[in-house]
Every structure is written in structure tokens, then in C-alpha cells.
Amino acid sequence: MSDTQTLIENRPPSVATLFVQRVDATPDAEAYRYPVPGAGTTPDEWKSLSWAQAAERVYAIAAGLADLGVGAEERVALASSTRVEWILADLGVMCAGAATTTIYPSTNAEESAFILADSESRVLIAEDAAQLAKARERRAELPNLRHVVVIDPAGAEPADGDPEGWVLSLADLEARGAAHLEKNPGTVKERIAAITADRLATLIYTSGTTGRPKGVRLPHDNWSYMAKAIASTGLITGEDVQYLWLPLAHVFGKVLTSGQIEVGHVTAVDGRIDKIITNLPVVQPTYMAAVPRIFEKVYNGIAGKAREGGGAKYKIFQWAAEVAREYAKVSQDNYRRTGRSGAPFALAAKHKVADALVYSKIREAFGGRLRACISGSAALAPDIGFFFAGAGIHILEGYGLTESSAASFVNPGESYRTGTVGKPLPGTEVRIADDGEILLRGPGIMEGYHQLPEKTAEVLESDGWFHTGDIGELSADGYLRITDRKKDLIKTSGGKYIAPAEVEGQFKAVCPFVSNILVHGADRNFCTALISLDEPTILGWAKEQGITGSYADVVAAPQTVEMVEGYVKRLNEGLQRWQTIKKFRLLPRDLDVEHGELTPSLKLKRPVVEREYRALIDEMYAGSREA
């Protein structure tokens, strides 16, 4: 048996046990770093928790929940943005033998109530008064909800009509837990010892692109496997510093906490997206994870600043971008063939000059120590991946779903291949069905959908194979490339199949102004597109062109339409005839989560967007002869 197999097969029965082992191994080492916001213009102050200090709070939360009457596998919901208290509360829930139900803080009151009711959550840990208000608004629909614990209690005092003791602060819960442990010091240890691998640890509701979300049941064994499998890749070590801003309500964010506990590195936690640019030079992380939209925005921002710097500066950037892509492609190809990266002398010389002029500044903006970024949740446009790779920021794409505990594939270290999601994690099996669908089997696969046996049977075979709904190709040496969602494939009226995500990704690489694009063409005789632009970037361009007004005014301007049309023509030059975009419309605002057009993990909700902009779509086909 290999060392990797031994590592994975000898995994602990629960995340709680994994946490105890980490605390015992390195009690005084730094575990978490978190910001305390400064007043006015004063910079944030970053504070730290050692593993022992984190454990003291985690065990107090666990004991507090036990004191509130929370039992084994009973659900405790967490509705909060990403912050250190989210992690401590989640660990506290699991150390109490209970299970965490995750809720995005942006979820409205109606859907929050659905999740709380469907999960039968006994306690809600809410970030602030705003999250408490959602529970209050729907309290009549939540007979199982006994308490709401508020992390930031300002303005969240008990109100008229609240049952006695229904609202308490996190500090109150921890104090209650500490008092409980004084009288019953063995409570948490006993609860942890009773947790078996098949006990429910987490109930994550898929954000989904259609219909009600489904609760994905992930037992402790899923997470302990993930922790060991991630550690076995060697991608992270105990010396790393992770910058964590991803939503912890999403499986991609949550899996990073398991890997950290196994390896024991430092995690700096701050979910405020508007603080990323400020925080990176302060934290100086060695790795971070993000969704492709973040890398697209960073790329657009870099290109926009170069353009604002004038013609010469922009030409230098464009040249450096092409050199970066060429260097990355050649270097990766060399590594694949010879096991050594690098490029021929002439290209390497150009790359060195471009590094001094452009790339070094980009790396400094990321903190100067970044070894790699992990990208997941959606496909990254290869040209953007090659750009960053050539600039010295290696984006390692990975793949997984909520139903597979997030991480099923990841690109391995130096042998990563841009445009693929890498190889399966040790212990995970993969096969491609006859219709191209990716099937997975292994210790990371969910137990099933909560209280939905028929939905579970639709995707999970009796022998353990899970149907992902994604279409992909597997290379001879095990690298997976995702081509599209099975349900999203477009069949034109002429009988041609098109993968819209592939076309959309190519456009994002071609056009530095795009924010979101939806390619439409199902049962039509040609393809069209709805396009929204990145507001800061397009407004900067508009100012240079002398175009004034709001975002809606700018995108309606003939100059803007003409400029975007040029990029659509460039896109079409690289497509098959039946894939080309014949017409497009610029949307009067960007797509967003608040209007329900994107999931909280920034995936496009195609049915919602197509329904909302049906008039624009029909307008593009008006007068055409549908075959």
C-alpha cells in the first residue's frame, strides 16, 4: 500500500477528531488571522488566534449548544459572511456532534425560511440584526427554531413577541458554554468520541440555477477524506499562509477549512470582497482560492489601467500579455514533454523584459509571495489562465460539486495544464459516459439529497457512481477538461450542438470589457448573445472617448456598440460557422446575485436571464426565417 493510500485510509472518523489532533500537535502555532476594522481612515488591525486559543472558543461554542439542548446530528444553521467566527462556529457545531446548515447572507427571507424549515434547524447563528430580521419575519413558519445566536449583536436585542431566551449573542453562548464545562468538563470530549464517520456534518443547499435548492448531505467521512486527500497532493504545506475570502456557505470555501486543519498552516480570513486589493499586500499570502470571475475582473482592471496610461503604456501591456500567453503555453508544453519548464532563448529574453515592465508589478499587487491560486466553481477562460501563468501567478484549476464535497480534481503543482481541471484526487474514480457526462465515485461523494430519495436516485447509482451533469473529456494521462453542462448544451434548428460556456469563455478572453455573456441559440437558426460590461472598466473607456452619463447611457452609445461589435467579430473568426454570434445586445445593467441572475458563487442562471430578457432575444430573431 502506498503512503498516499495509507494516509487517506487511516483518516479520523470526524472533523472534530481531526481538529483535536491538530490542536494537540501544534497548540501554540498560529491558526487564524482576522481583521479588526479601524475607525474612519485608520487601517484595519490584524489579530491572530493560535490553535489552542481557537480550540478554547470552539469547545465553548460546542458546550453552549449542548446546554441549549442541541443533540446529535441536529442542525444548526449559519447565516453569515466569511469571517473567523464562521469557522469557529462551524467547528463548534461539529464538536457538539450536530450538523451545520449553511445559508448565504444574501439569501432573502423566503428562501432562508425554506432552508431553515427543510433542514429542521434548531438554532440559527446569524451574523447581525439584518440576518435576525429574516428569521423574525418568518418565525411563524419555523416551529423547530429554538434560538437565534447573533455574532454582531448591535441592534439585535430581543424584541416584543420574541420567546424568552430566543435571541442571544455569540459571546453569551460562549459564556454559557464555559460555565457548562466548569460543571461538566467532559461534555465536549464525550460528544466528539461519539461521532462516527457516517454522522451528518454539513447540510449545504445547492444554489442551483432552477427551482428550489436541494440539501446535500455530507457526513464527517466526506470532510476527513477531503482533508487527507488535499494534504496528499503536496500543494499546501504547514508553512503556507492562505487568504480566505470565498463564501463559507459554499462548498468551495468550506473545503479549504478542512485542508487547513490537516496541514496546520495559517489562514487569514476576511470575506469583504472590496477589501481584497487592500488586504493582499498586508497578508502576503502564499496561496488563495477564487472563482474565475475574480481573475477576469483583475485582468480587466489591469488592462483598463494600462489603457488609461496612454497609447504607449497600453501597447506595452498588450505586447506583454501576448508574451505571457506564449511563454506559458511553450513552458507547459516543454514540461509535458521533458519534465522541465522554460522556453527558447529568444522568448525567454522577451519574457524577462516583460517581467520587469509588467509582471513584477502584478505579483506585488498580490502580495509578492503568491505561489499559486486555486480556481474553481466555473470554467476559467484559457487565455486568462495563460496570461496569469506567464506573469508568474499560477492558477491551478480544480473541479468538484457540492455533491462531491467540492474537490474531486485539481491541477498538480508544476505539471499543471491550463484549460484542464487536472487529475482526480487520490481515492476518487472517474469515467466518461457514452454521452460525454462525467461520472464520479469515491469517499467524497454525498450521502444523498436531504429528504429527497427520488432526486438522489436520479443522480446516484446503487454502486456509488454519481452523475455530475457536466460534459468532459479525459486525456490519456488522466487530465480532465470540462466542456459544458449537460443541460446547457444548445441544439440549433439546423441540428448542430453548441457548448455555450465554451464560446462565452472565449469571448471573455477576447474582450477586456465584458462582465457576463449569455449565448442563446436553442432551436434557432443562428446564435445570439446578451452581454453586460464591467462597469468601472467601461466607464473609464467612455471617459477617454468623451462619452458621458451613467452605465446605461454608456452601453447605449453607438460608439460602445461599435467597439463591442469589433470584439464579437474577433471571436467569430475563431469559431465554427454554426457557433458564430450573428447578433448581440448590450444589457442596461450588469447581471448580479441580487436580481437572481447569478448564483451566490457567480454562476449564470440561464433560464432566469433568458426569461428576464426574452423581449431582447426575440428582437434579435425578428424577421429571420427559423428553419
Side-chain angles (χ1 to χ4, degrees):
M1 183 181 294
S2 70
D3 292 342
T4 297
Q5 287 176 307
T6 302
L7 181 70
I8 293 172
E9 291 184 10
N10 292 340
R11 58 189 182 269
S14 71
V15 177
T17 302
L18 189 75
F19 180 67
V20 170
Q21 290 174 351
R22 168 50 53 201
V23 174
D24 289 345
T26 56
D28 299 323
E30 184 182 14
Y32 303 107
R33 223 175 272 173
Y34 62 96
V36 177
T41 58
T42 306
D44 295 345
E45 178 188 359
W46 284 81
K47 295 191 173 182
S48 294
L49 285 176
S50 69
W51 287 104
Q53 290 169 329
E56 185 177 356
R57 294 192 64 182
V58 166
Y59 298 154
I61 292 169
L65 292 171
D67 199 64
L68 291 179
V70 175
E73 293 188 280
E74 288 191 329
R75 269 70 70 196
V76 176
L78 250 170
S80 170
S81 61
T82 293
R83 53 192 293 166
V84 73
E85 291 89 350
W86 201 107
I87 297 173
L88 300 176
D90 180 43
L91 288 169
V93 170
M94 289 188 284
C95 285
T100 303
T101 299
T102 68
I103 301 176
Y104 288 96
S106 59
T107 305
N108 62 32
E110 179 185 3
E111 192 157 294
S112 294
F114 167 77
I115 293 171
L116 288 167
D118 189 69
S119 64
E120 299 175 294
S121 289
R122 301 293 195 255
V123 175
L124 166 64
I125 299 178
E127 182 167 23
D128 51 24
Q131 300 302 324
L132 168 62
K134 295 177 191 177
R136 276 198 179 123
E137 179 184 328
R138 299 278 176 157
R139 190 164 61 81
E141 305 165 29
L142 305 170
N144 293 306
L145 190 64
R146 300 170 187 162
H147 302 279
V148 180
V149 177
V150 185
I151 296 171
D152 288 336
E157 295 79 10
D160 292 341
D162 285 348
E164 186 176 352
W166 195 64
V167 178
L168 65 158
S169 70
L170 181 62
D172 291 337
L173 179 70
E174 290 184 52
R176 187 166 181 155
H180 180 98
L181 287 173
E182 284 186 11
K183 297 177 182 177
N184 307 280
T187 296
V188 176
K189 288 182 179 178
E190 290 166 6
R191 291 213 171 194
I192 292 173
I195 302 171
T196 53
D198 60 345
R199 286 271 190 94
L200 183 66
T202 316
L203 190 58
I204 298 182
Y205 282 76
T206 57
S207 49
T209 55
T210 57
R212 283 287 197 187
K214 300 185 289 291
V216 178
R217 294 177 62 88
L218 299 173
H220 279 270
D221 192 49
N222 288 150
W223 296 119
S224 57
Y225 159 71
M226 278 294 153
K228 295 290 187 180
I230 290 169
S232 74
T233 65
L235 292 176
I236 55 175
T237 72
E239 303 303 312
D240 274 313
V241 175
Q242 176 192 193
Y243 179 65
L244 178 58
W245 64 271
L246 284 169
L248 288 166
H250 188 271
V251 72
F252 187 20
K254 184 156 180 356
V255 75
L256 298 169
T257 65
S258 298
Q260 181 216 359
I261 294 169
E262 169 62 23
V263 175
H265 64 62
V266 179
T267 291
V269 191
D270 188 356
R272 298 172 296 173
I273 295 178
D274 61 331
K275 289 286 187 178
I276 293 176
I277 301 297
T278 305
N279 285 342
L280 286 174
V282 176
V283 173
Q284 295 183 312
T286 57
Y287 87 93
M288 64 177 282
V291 294
R293 185 71 194 105
I294 296 300
F295 299 114
E296 292 162 5
K297 286 181 76 70
V298 170
Y299 176 79
N300 288 343
I302 294 168
K305 283 186 179 180
R307 190 181 301 103
E308 290 170 10
K313 189 173 183 179
Y314 189 46
K315 285 181 180 178
I316 290 171
F317 168 76
Q318 289 179 307
W319 170 79
E322 287 307 310
V323 170
R325 293 185 179 108
E326 185 181 0
Y327 183 88
K329 290 174 184 177
V330 170
S331 185
Q332 288 184 29
D333 186 57
N334 282 342
Y335 194 93
R336 187 179 308 138
R337 290 186 294 103
T338 68
R340 297 179 63 185
S341 55
F345 177 79
L347 178 57
K350 288 194 290 185
H351 183 265
K352 187 174 182 179
V353 174
D355 188 78
L357 293 173
V358 178
Y359 313 149
S360 59
K361 297 177 179 63
I362 296 173
R363 292 196 299 273
E364 284 303 312
F366 278 90
R369 297 201 309 153
L370 203 61
R371 287 192 296 102
C373 293
I374 310 296
S375 177
S377 185
L380 177 71
D383 271 7
I384 290 176
F386 282 124
F387 167 79
F388 281 109
I393 297 172
H394 298 180
I395 300 178
L396 309 180
E397 290 183 78
Y399 169 72
L401 304 93
T402 305
E403 291 89 342
S404 67
S405 311
S408 301
F409 284 74
V410 70
N411 262 284
E414 280 193 277
S415 57
Y416 76 107
R417 295 182 191 172
T418 299
T420 80
V421 294
K423 295 183 174 184
L425 288 179
T428 294
E429 299 176 75
V430 59
R431 64 182 172 91
I432 306 296
D434 292 341
D435 61 357
E437 184 177 11
I438 302 161
L439 307 185
L440 301 175
R441 183 167 66 179
I445 301 301
M446 68 172 180
E447 177 187 299
Y449 293 122
H450 186 61
Q451 301 183 129
L452 295 170
E454 291 181 0
K455 292 289 185 184
T456 301
E458 289 175 7
V459 297
L460 195 57
E461 296 180 10
S462 58
D463 59 358
W465 284 105
F466 169 66
H467 290 247
T468 65
D470 288 316
I471 302 295
E473 300 168 351
L474 200 61
S475 71
D477 53 352
Y479 284 78
L480 179 67
R481 189 172 79 90
I482 311 295
T483 55
D484 217 303
R485 286 289 296 171
K486 187 175 180 179
K487 292 180 180 178
D488 288 342
L489 285 176
I490 289 173
K491 186 180 182 181
T492 68
S493 59
K496 295 289 187 180
Y497 281 97
I498 297 167
E502 189 171 354
V503 177
E504 291 157 3
Q506 288 185 45
F507 187 68
K508 287 179 178 180
V510 167
C511 178
F513 299 97
V514 66
S515 178
N516 285 286
I517 172 173
L518 181 144
V519 172
H520 178 83
D523 301 319
R524 306 280 198 172
N525 60 354
F526 60 86
C527 288
T528 58
L530 298 173
I531 300 170
S532 68
L533 304 179
D534 183 72
E535 186 167 340
T537 309
I538 196 62
L539 291 182
W541 174 86
K543 186 177 179 181
E544 295 171 8
Q545 306 301 313
I547 305 170
T548 59
S550 66
Y551 169 87
D553 295 328
V554 170
V555 297
Q559 302 99 306
T560 308
V561 176
E562 184 180 355
M563 180 269 291
V564 174
E565 185 175 19
Y567 287 110
V568 171
K569 287 179 179 176
R570 281 180 57 186
L571 168 73
N572 286 340
E573 289 170 1
L575 298 177
Q576 300 289 344
R577 180 186 55 78
W578 60 87
Q579 295 175 304
T580 56
I581 306 301
K582 297 293 192 294
K583 296 181 182 181
F584 70 91
R585 292 291 184 271
L586 298 180
L587 300 181
R589 62 170 177 80
D590 198 359
L591 305 177
D592 56 36
V593 175
E594 288 69 29
H595 287 85
E597 298 143 343
L598 303 178
T599 71
S601 56
L602 306 183
K603 293 189 186 79
L604 195 67
K605 289 188 175 183
R606 293 182 187 277
V608 174
V609 177
E610 290 180 340
R611 183 169 61 248
E612 185 171 349
Y613 292 102
R614 173 57 59 185
L616 278 183
I617 292 173
D618 289 342
E619 177 186 300
M620 288 188 280
Y621 291 99
S624 68
R625 183 175 62 82
E626 297 291 350

